[in-house]
Amino acid sequence: MTSLKNDTFLRALLKQPVEYTPIWMMRQAGRYLPEYKATRAKAGSFLDLCKNTELATEVTIQPLDRFDLDAAILFSDILTVPDAMGLGLYFAEGEGPRLPPISDHHGVAALDAARVNDHLQPVYQALRLTRQALPADKALIGFIGA
């Protein structure tokens, strides 16, 4: 692993002095980019894109090919965690994510936290691949559960 050559973003997070205000943007993977749209179409679905390590890495890096940002944001979704627990996440076309309701303690008991680590391996692998693919002057922001 290459050591980070630009730690401006990390120093700013630690409230240390920096030469400039680092730049990153919420949602910078941006569904507005034509290359994102093409990669998303190749994946087949949003959830499949989250679970495909190579494609998730690709869309994480795409904004940095266009803009001089200080950090990349790992492409994933916080809902991969309840999905990994067996909740049954799905995406309704044009409406977004859907999770079946849990109406009693039996529904909670049916969730399997023990399987989360195994089911999130594609996210962990995307993290490793992205860090390897990123230039050494770019930080990586991410979130993963377990």
Side-chain angles (χ1 to χ4, degrees), residues 1-3 131-132:
M1 178 194 263
T2 308
S3 62
R131 186 63 263 171
Q132 291 170 1

Side-chain angles (χ1 to χ4, degrees), residues 18-38:
V18 291
E19 301 77 36
Y20 62 91
T21 302
I23 299 173
W24 67 279
M25 298 177 189
M26 291 291 293
R27 302 298 220 173
Q28 75 184 33
R31 296 177 178 118
Y32 62 91
L33 293 177
E35 55 268 41
Y36 169 86
K37 291 177 183 181

Side-chain angles (χ1 to χ4, degrees), residues 10-127:
L10 300 176
R11 286 185 292 127
L13 289 177
L14 295 170
K15 298 182 181 178
Q16 296 175 352
V18 291
E19 301 77 36
Y20 62 91
T21 302
I23 299 173
W24 67 279
M25 298 177 189
M26 291 291 293
R27 302 298 220 173
Q28 75 184 33
R31 296 177 178 118
Y32 62 91
L33 293 177
E35 55 268 41
Y36 169 86
K37 291 177 183 181
T39 305
R40 163 72 169 72
K42 188 183 343 176
S45 75
F46 177 80
L47 200 51
D48 288 339
L49 180 55
C50 290
K51 293 178 179 182
N52 183 309
T53 58
E54 290 81 13
L55 296 181
T57 298
E58 183 179 318
V59 297
T60 298
I61 295 172
Q62 285 173 349
L64 288 124
D65 293 337
R66 284 182 170 253
F67 308 107
D68 187 23
L69 302 165
D70 291 285
I73 302 171
L74 180 68
F75 184 83
S76 188
D77 194 285
I78 195 70
L79 293 176
T80 58
V81 175
D83 182 55
M85 293 174 73
L87 190 55
L89 172 68
Y90 66 97
F91 285 79
E93 189 63 37
E95 295 182 29
R98 296 283 185 250
L99 296 167
I102 296 176
S103 57
D104 58 30
H105 70 281
H106 298 293
V108 173
L111 297 177
D112 187 359
R115 67 182 245 159
V116 170
N117 193 48
D118 288 340
H119 286 266
L120 289 181
Q121 285 305 310
V123 179
Y124 302 147
Q125 184 61 22
L127 177 63

